[in-house]
Amino acid sequence: MTKKIVIIGGVAGGATAAARLRRLDEESHIVLIERGEHISFANCGLPYYIGETIHDRQKLLVQTVEGMKQRFNLDIRNLTEATEIDREQKMIKAKNLITGEVYEESYDQLILSPGAKPIVPPIPGIREANVFTLRNIPDTDKIKGYVDDKQPKHATIIGGGFIGIEMAENLVERGMKVSLVEKGDQVMGPVDPEMAAYVHQELSAHGVELLLQDGVKSFEKNTVILESGKRIETDMTILSIGVKPESTLAQEAGLETGSRGGIVVDDHLRTNDISIYAIGDAIEVQDYILKQPTMVPLAWPANRQGRIVADNIYGGDQSYPGTLGTSIVKVFDYTVATTGVNEKRLKASGIPYQTIHIHPGSHAGYYPGAEQMAIKLLFSPVGDIFGAQIVSKKGADKRIDVIATAIKGGLSVRDLPNLELAYAPPYSSAKDPINMAGYVATNVLDGDIEIIHWDEIDQAISDGEVLIDVRNPNEFEKGFLSGSLNIPLDELRDRLDEIPKGQRINVMCQAGLRGYLASKVLWLNGFEVRNVDGGWRTYSIAKGLGAKITVG
């Protein structure tokens, strides 16, 4: 039986669903309605076009209207807005935004892929200020046109999420001074504070003025007035404080939505109306790890959901198991990658967990160009992997993908040492950083080592516990914790008599490995000992040493 399927919204989810539907059936009438001019474009490439890393605007258009019509035999109606859903009659009302014509369109199945829109609070003076948002091609054209024509000297970015960070980098690359204002105490919410601290340091190193725990009170022409009272003279402002689902159409039709406005769907991506599916940034999904409702506006989930819905419409039985939230962002010379659940959410959910930090080289140290990585791994008391965060100049992308795959494959941290990963000196080490993370996590689970974290060591010293720093004197002099005793690892066995008996000993090195070795020496000699997880590297970065930050 020939079906008539109407899709509201293009880009990642809607366009993917349309193409998959046609590949499954040649006869169905597939209507794609898109409010904008473009039906399929590369959202994630927009900042890099503004920054002129990408020069050809046409390359942002994944599919053109005419190209997709011809290739997939689709009835595409761009510059058309769906304004109403009549579920009883299985009819939508649409308006042609060029001619003003309003008409009705019937459907057998309806797919909602309306996406999300930038949050724009009613800040006093915002309409008179030179304020931009970035979500689509027209937004991009406005920003790039302004930068090209007016050649502004300074930009203020409100919000330290992915888009805000990427825009900061790209505007700096265009020669502008940038101030970045973030209401929270860190940028990049998906990572934990000590990992975000690397981003703070990198932004500072490239001249970005970073203002944390501060928000916008008002605008006065070319001045941004913050809640702290600070005034920023600026030529342009970009709002990047998050997005909210475009779910008004669904709500008005009586479809169920969640507490944050996302359209509620079942595991087959069907709404509470059996004829209506919903996908992409507008829907509420299940967190893959926590099994709790969440919203994750990323490209991979939208693409995957589009394909699943198309399969199910044609009799398939595909389910969407939830979103892991694997993501990655470039911050000047660094890459920040994350997957799964962070420590903040595990704490808030009351879920028992363990965490380790390691700092291996991105490839063999004897081969030129190796960079030190920062890897944080979170796991359950029995070894189930909850998530990971990686910051590095090299190698973060492939390592986060391995961990994301391990999670989806049901592997535990005990399986990570057994992963046989590709090795040659330019690419890795004989023991890949993922193997090393598995070894350290397994040691913690097995009680082979007891660790203390960067945010606990100050209190331990304050309580009178001993801290031995086993780095070499030249490393120690560059930065150390007050009250620590410097005994280099290679001298430790000969200086055991300098260490007080009957007290708990904490050991610190630069990155954790020498601390582990020292801990084993001390433990085998009768001391109660803990190793400072991640060493001085994690501690010093987490404490913000070296980053210029203004706190409101």
Side-chain angles (χ1 to χ4, degrees):
M1 178 181 171
T2 301
K3 294 179 182 289
K4 183 176 182 183
I5 303 155
V6 175
I7 304 168
I8 298 176
V11 198
T16 295
R20 178 64 174 169
L21 285 165
R22 179 55 73 220
R23 292 197 300 273
L24 293 172
D25 181 78
E26 271 289 301
E27 303 301 322
S28 291
H29 184 190
I30 301 168
V31 181
L32 175 57
I33 294 175
E34 167 57 47
R35 182 170 54 194
E37 178 184 355
H38 307 284
I39 57 164
S40 183
F41 59 90
N43 298 69
C44 300
L46 303 182
Y48 299 100
Y49 173 64
I50 294 169
E52 297 190 330
T53 299
I54 298 170
H55 291 281
D56 187 353
R57 180 180 179 277
Q58 196 65 25
K59 289 184 177 179
L60 297 173
L61 305 179
V62 180
Q63 288 278 1
T64 64
V65 172
E66 289 306 317
M68 198 164 181
K69 273 184 179 180
Q70 183 173 1
R71 177 165 294 181
F72 296 104
N73 187 25
L74 302 173
D75 182 354
I76 298 178
R77 305 174 193 176
N78 61 329
L79 295 171
T80 299
E81 182 175 11
T83 59
E84 186 180 330
I85 301 171
D86 184 337
R87 291 167 51 193
E88 186 175 341
Q89 298 298 320
K90 298 183 76 171
M91 200 77 81
I92 69 158
K93 188 174 288 184
K95 179 180 181 180
N96 185 311
L97 298 178
I98 296 177
T99 66
E101 176 195 3
V102 176
Y103 61 91
E104 291 183 333
E105 193 72 45
S106 65
Y107 64 83
D108 294 313
Q109 273 86 32
L110 178 64
I111 302 174
L112 301 180
S113 180
K117 60 183 177 182
I119 296 171
V120 182
I123 302 170
I126 192 169
R127 292 189 177 182
E128 291 74 37
N130 205 18
V131 177
F132 301 85
T133 58
L134 179 60
R135 186 66 183 171
N136 53 34
I137 295 288
D139 292 343
T140 306
D141 290 339
K142 288 178 185 176
I143 296 173
K144 190 170 189 301
Y146 183 82
V147 174
D148 290 347
D149 297 340
K150 304 297 184 181
Q151 297 187 345
K153 304 297 182 185
H154 184 276
T156 300
I157 296 171
I158 312 300
F162 283 21
I163 295 297
I165 295 292
E166 289 172 344
M167 282 307 306
E169 175 183 354
N170 280 281
L171 293 180
V172 168
E173 295 293 336
R174 292 291 303 265
M176 298 172 64
K177 294 289 186 182
V178 174
S179 296
L180 194 155
V181 180
E182 167 57 47
K183 184 74 170 174
D185 59 4
Q186 66 167 83
V187 300
M188 293 194 65
V191 303
D192 289 312
E194 75 276 22
M195 303 301 281
Y198 291 93
V199 183
H200 297 169
Q201 188 177 69
E202 184 71 354
L203 291 169
S204 296
H206 285 82
V208 175
E209 181 186 27
L210 187 56
L211 302 113
L212 301 179
Q213 298 181 53
D214 213 343
V216 180
K217 181 180 179 181
S218 62
F219 293 94
E220 289 181 6
K221 294 185 178 179
N222 292 335
T223 303
V224 180
I225 303 170
L226 302 185
E227 293 169 354
S228 64
K230 180 178 174 64
R231 299 172 68 92
I232 305 173
E233 299 299 323
T234 194
D235 299 310
M236 62 184 299
T237 299
I238 297 177
L239 278 184
S240 180
I241 57 177
V243 296
K244 57 183 178 181
E246 290 266 24
S247 56
T248 302
L249 187 66
Q251 291 173 341
E252 291 176 349
L255 297 178
E256 184 182 355
T257 55
S259 60
R260 294 168 58 188
I263 303 169
V264 175
V265 294
D266 63 17
D267 63 348
H268 282 55
L269 301 169
R270 187 184 287 113
T271 68
N272 55 305
D273 185 317
I274 61 171
S275 298
I276 303 177
Y277 296 81
I279 57 178
D281 295 355
I283 71 169
E284 183 179 273
V285 295
Q286 178 178 259
D287 183 282
Y288 186 84
I289 300 291
L290 300 179
K291 310 304 180 187
Q292 300 170 353
T294 189
M295 296 189 68
V296 186
L298 293 171
W300 183 88
N303 275 282
R304 180 65 185 134
Q305 291 157 13
R307 185 182 178 99
I308 287 172
V309 163
D311 286 354
N312 289 340
I313 284 175
Y314 284 120
D317 188 24
Q318 298 275 349
S319 61
Y320 184 72
T323 299
L324 192 55
T326 306
S327 59
I328 193 165
V329 65
K330 179 180 178 295
V331 187
F332 293 102
D333 296 331
Y334 275 89
T335 299
V336 183
T338 180
T339 190
V341 186
N342 60 31
E343 187 170 1
K344 292 174 290 189
R345 293 182 63 202
L346 289 169
K347 281 182 178 177
S349 300
I351 297 174
Y353 68 93
Q354 296 269 22
T355 181
I356 56 124
H357 299 76
I358 64 171
H359 298 280
S362 57
H363 61 249
Y366 58 82
Y367 187 90
E371 296 285 353
Q372 189 175 45
M373 307 182 74
I375 300 177
K376 178 175 185 176
L377 185 65
L378 298 122
F379 49 98
S380 76
V382 296
D384 298 324
I385 304 172
F386 285 146
Q389 298 156 39
I390 305 178
V391 183
S392 179
K393 291 184 177 180
K394 293 181 179 179
D397 51 350
K398 67 177 181 178
R399 272 58 183 241
I400 206 71
D401 285 345
V402 170
I403 295 175
T405 303
I407 293 173
K408 284 292 185 81
L411 303 185
S412 78
V413 296
R414 296 183 186 278
D415 295 307
L416 299 184
N418 292 322
L419 295 181
E420 189 174 340
L421 304 173
Y423 160 60
Y427 304 105
S428 184
S429 299
K431 287 184 285 190
D432 187 86
I434 296 298
N435 300 137
M436 292 302 300
Y439 282 123
V440 175
T442 301
N443 285 342
V444 170
L445 288 178
D446 291 345
D448 189 50
I449 185 172
E450 187 177 351
I451 59 176
I452 181 172
H453 293 290
W454 67 270
D455 55 350
E456 300 169 328
I457 187 62
D458 286 344
Q459 186 61 51
I461 295 173
S462 178
D463 292 342
E465 294 187 20
V466 176
L467 175 63
I468 298 174
D469 194 313
V470 297
R471 293 175 296 164
N472 296 327
N474 62 327
E475 295 175 285
F476 183 77
E477 290 170 3
K478 293 176 182 177
F480 58 89
L481 271 168
S482 178
S484 57
L485 175 64
N486 183 213
I487 303 178
L489 173 62
D490 294 337
E491 301 175 14
L492 188 60
R493 289 183 179 86
D494 297 329
R495 297 175 63 179
L496 292 176
D497 58 349
E498 298 179 31
I499 303 172
K501 293 279 188 178
Q503 295 188 45
R504 183 153 64 180
I505 309 300
N506 298 287
V507 178
M508 174 180 274
C509 67
Q510 185 65 22
L513 177 57
R514 282 174 290 172
Y516 167 69
L517 298 175
S519 297
K520 298 301 292 183
V521 170
L522 293 172
W523 183 75
L524 291 170
N525 279 278
F527 291 91
E528 182 185 357
V529 60
R530 298 185 296 185
N531 185 27
V532 178
D533 174 51
W536 174 255
R537 174 71 172 163
T538 294
Y539 178 88
S540 61
I541 291 289
K543 291 294 184 177
L545 306 183
K548 296 179 181 178
I549 301 170
T550 300
V551 178

